Amino acid sequence: METYILLGFVLVLSIYLGLELISKVPSTLHTPLMSGANAISGIALVGALMLAVGDQFGQLQEVLAFLAVTFASINVFGGYLVTNRMLKMFKKK
Amino acid sequence: MSILIENLSTLQNVIYIISSMLFITGIKMLGKEDTAVRGNFLSALAMFIAVSITLVNVVNPLIIIIGISVGAIIGSVIALKVKMTSIPEMVALFNGFGGLATFFIAWSEYSTTPENSFQYILIMLTTFIGGVTFTGSIIAYGKLSERLTIKKTSLITKLFTTIFYVSLLYLIYSTFFTDIFEPNFDFYLILIILTLLGGIFFGVFGCNSRTWHL
C-alpha cells in the first residue's frame, strides 16, 4: 500500500508540474511542444522493455512485448525527429 | 549475487531520477523560442539514458534489438521523408502508435495474473486508455490528411458515440464489480474490442484541422 501512496504523490505532483510547464508558452511553439510531449510519452518504451526483459515468458507475452517495443520506438524516434524538423523551420523565419 | 542485483536496481532508479530531471528541463526549454532546439535534444538524451539503463539486465536481446531497429527505421523514414504540410497528421499517427504500445503492455500484464485488486484496476484502465488513444488517433490521422470526412450529425457519429458509452460502462463494470483475478480471455476480449471501437468517438469529435498552428 505504501508504494501506491507514493505513486499517488508522484501522479499529483506531475499533473501540477505539467500545467506549470505548458503555461506562458508562445502560440507558435504549441505544435512543436505538443509533438515533443508526445515523443516523451514514448517513455512507455521503458515499460515495454521491462516486459521484454522479464523471465516469465509465454508465447503471447513474447509477441505482445515485441509489438510494444516496436510501436513505442516508432513513437520515440519519429516524435523527436519530427519535432526537430519543425523547430528548424521556425529558425529560418 | 542478490546484493549485486539490489545495487543494480538502486542504480537504475537513481538514473531514472536524473533522466526525469533532464526531461523536465527539456520541456521547459522547448517552451522558449531560442532554447527550443536544445530542449528537444535534451529530452531525447534523457530518453536515451532511460532506455540504456533499462537494457542493462537484458535476458533475451534478440527481440529487443529487432523491435527497436524496426521501430527506429519506420519512425525515422516517416519523420524525415514526409512533406512539411502533412506533419500534423504524422504527429497524430505517432501518438496513436504510442497508445498502441501502452495497450499491448497492459494486455501482456493482464495475461500474467495481476497480484492484487489495485493492480487489476490499473491494468483495466491502462488497456482502455491505450486502446482509445490508438483508434482515436488513427481517425484523427484520417481526418487531418483529408482521406476521411465524418459529419458530426451523421449516423456513424451517433453509432460510435453509443459504442463509446457502452465501452465506458463495461470498463466500470469489469473493473469494479467483478473479482476476476485469473486471466479470462473471453471476458477481457470484449473489453479490448469495445475499447478499440469506442476510441473512434474521440477521433470523430476531438479533431479539427483548423486548430493547428503550422
Side-chain angles (χ1 to χ4, degrees):
Chain A
M1 205 58 218
E2 201 91 313
T3 322
Y4 296 125
I5 299 290
L6 275 177
L7 287 174
F9 264 116
V10 174
L11 179 67
V12 171
L13 288 177
S14 55
I15 289 169
Y16 280 101
L17 177 66
L19 282 175
E20 205 53 47
L21 283 174
I22 60 155
S23 55
K24 294 174 216 144
V25 169
S27 66
T28 45
L29 279 173
H30 281 172
T31 308
L33 188 68
M34 194 203 55
S35 172
N38 173 50
I40 290 172
S41 82
I43 196 68
L45 177 57
V46 170
L49 289 174
M50 281 175 175
L51 209 67
V53 298
D55 37 12
Q56 284 185 319
F57 254 55
Q59 192 91 49
L60 179 66
Q61 277 98 311
E62 205 158 337
V63 173
L64 289 174
F66 174 73
L67 288 174
V69 170
T70 310
F71 281 108
S73 55
I74 293 178
N75 190 15
V76 169
F77 282 87
Y80 280 119
L81 289 171
V82 150
T83 311
N84 197 43
R85 246 182 101 184
M86 270 189 240
L87 290 172
K88 276 193 180 148
M89 194 179 68
F90 281 108
K91 264 197 167 171
K92 277 180 204 158
K93 278 180 186 173
Chain B
M1 190 64 193
S2 70
I3 294 169
L4 190 72
I5 290 171
E6 209 169 90
N7 282 343
L8 185 63
S9 126
T10 311
L11 178 73
Q12 279 180 320
N13 282 318
V14 170
I15 292 187
Y16 286 146
I17 294 174
I18 295 171
S19 101
S20 65
M21 284 160 64
L22 291 176
F23 272 128
I24 295 166
T25 319
I27 304 175
K28 188 77 207 164
M29 285 164 78
L30 209 51
K32 286 190 191 110
E33 265 172 56
D34 44 342
T35 55
V37 178
R38 269 183 293 152
N40 189 43
F41 177 76
L42 208 61
S43 84
L45 180 72
M47 183 70 76
F48 178 75
I49 293 171
V51 169
S52 311
I53 200 67
T54 313
L55 283 177
V56 168
N57 48 1
V58 59
V59 185
N60 44 351
L62 194 67
I63 70 168
I64 292 173
I65 292 170
I66 296 175
I68 292 184
S69 322
V70 171
I73 292 167
I74 297 174
S76 312
V77 167
I78 295 176
L80 297 176
K81 295 283 170 196
V82 90
K83 268 189 238 149
M84 218 65 201
T85 48
S86 51
I87 277 183
E89 61 254 35
M90 282 307 143
V91 177
L93 194 64
F94 288 143
N95 188 46
F97 287 157
L100 191 60
T102 314
F103 177 74
F104 286 137
I105 294 169
W107 186 353
S108 176
E109 286 288 312
Y110 181 81
S111 38
T112 54
T113 318
E115 280 162 22
N116 52 45
S117 50
F118 190 76
Q119 217 176 49
Y120 178 76
I121 292 170
L122 285 187
I123 290 171
M124 298 312 249
L125 287 177
T126 312
T127 309
F128 187 78
I129 294 168
V132 163
T133 307
F134 174 61
T135 41
S137 300
I138 294 300
I139 300 298
Y141 167 76
K143 280 175 80 178
L144 287 168
S145 61
E146 286 163 358
R147 280 175 208 170
L148 199 69
T149 38
I150 302 171
K151 287 201 179 91
K152 283 188 182 173
T153 49
S154 70
L155 200 63
I156 298 174
T157 309
K158 280 171 193 153
L159 177 70
F160 282 109
T161 309
T162 315
I163 294 176
F164 174 70
Y165 287 122
V166 171
S167 72
L168 207 58
L169 284 176
Y170 189 79
L171 173 75
I172 293 167
Y173 164 74
S174 61
T175 310
F176 296 104
F177 298 106
T178 56
D179 49 357
I180 300 171
F181 286 101
E182 282 168 36
N184 178 340
F185 194 69
D186 292 339
F187 165 81
Y188 189 63
L189 191 67
I190 298 173
L191 180 73
I192 290 178
I193 293 168
L194 278 177
T195 297
L196 289 175
L197 288 175
I200 293 173
F201 163 82
F202 281 101
V204 172
F205 274 102
C207 150
N208 182 355
S209 48
R210 278 156 214 247
T211 56
W212 287 80
H213 304 275
L214 203 77

